[in-house]
Amino acid sequence: MPKGYWIARVDVRDAERYKDYVAAAKPAFEHYGAKFLARGGPITTLEGPSRARNVVIEFASMQDAVDCYNSPEYQIAAKIRQEAADSEMLVVEGV
């Protein structure tokens, strides 16, 4: 079964509030076996617009990735993230 990957591109507007998001999201990530492959760090923009923070999270399957996002625990965290940052998020299937 192919793995699922969250790809998130984020510009944090409120760094202190974003810390609350990270703490609130942790239980959902732990429950769904999230493995962070990239989290912030330096980037090199090759084409198009970029954001300051880029995150890649691996899940055992697409279903786990989607279920994590839709979980009640993560939805609490998502509301905090939406208050503290501008972002795009998507799930892609691994090869």
Side-chain angles (χ1 to χ4, degrees):
M1 175 181 341
K3 294 183 178 183
Y5 296 86
W6 279 20
I7 299 175
R9 301 173 56 243
V10 183
D11 284 331
V12 176
R13 289 182 272 107
D14 182 339
E16 288 304 310
R17 186 75 171 131
Y18 196 80
K19 291 177 187 177
D20 296 336
Y21 158 72
V22 171
K26 187 176 180 181
F29 290 148
E30 288 175 349
H31 179 80
Y32 288 95
K35 179 180 177 186
F36 285 80
L37 302 180
R39 180 171 31 196
I43 66 166
T44 299
T45 301
L46 301 176
E47 292 185 26
S50 61
R51 293 212 180 251
R53 184 173 179 81
N54 299 277
V55 182
V56 179
I57 306 172
E58 180 183 81
F59 292 86
S61 68
M62 282 285 289
Q63 192 63 57
D64 282 350
V66 171
D67 288 349
C68 181
Y69 181 84
N70 289 323
S71 71
E73 299 85 1
Y74 187 76
Q75 286 304 300
I76 291 167
K79 286 180 178 43
I80 298 169
R81 177 182 42 77
Q82 292 160 358
E83 293 170 3
D86 298 314
S87 59
E88 292 92 31
M89 294 178 61
L90 54 91
V91 175
V92 298
E93 183 177 82
V95 294

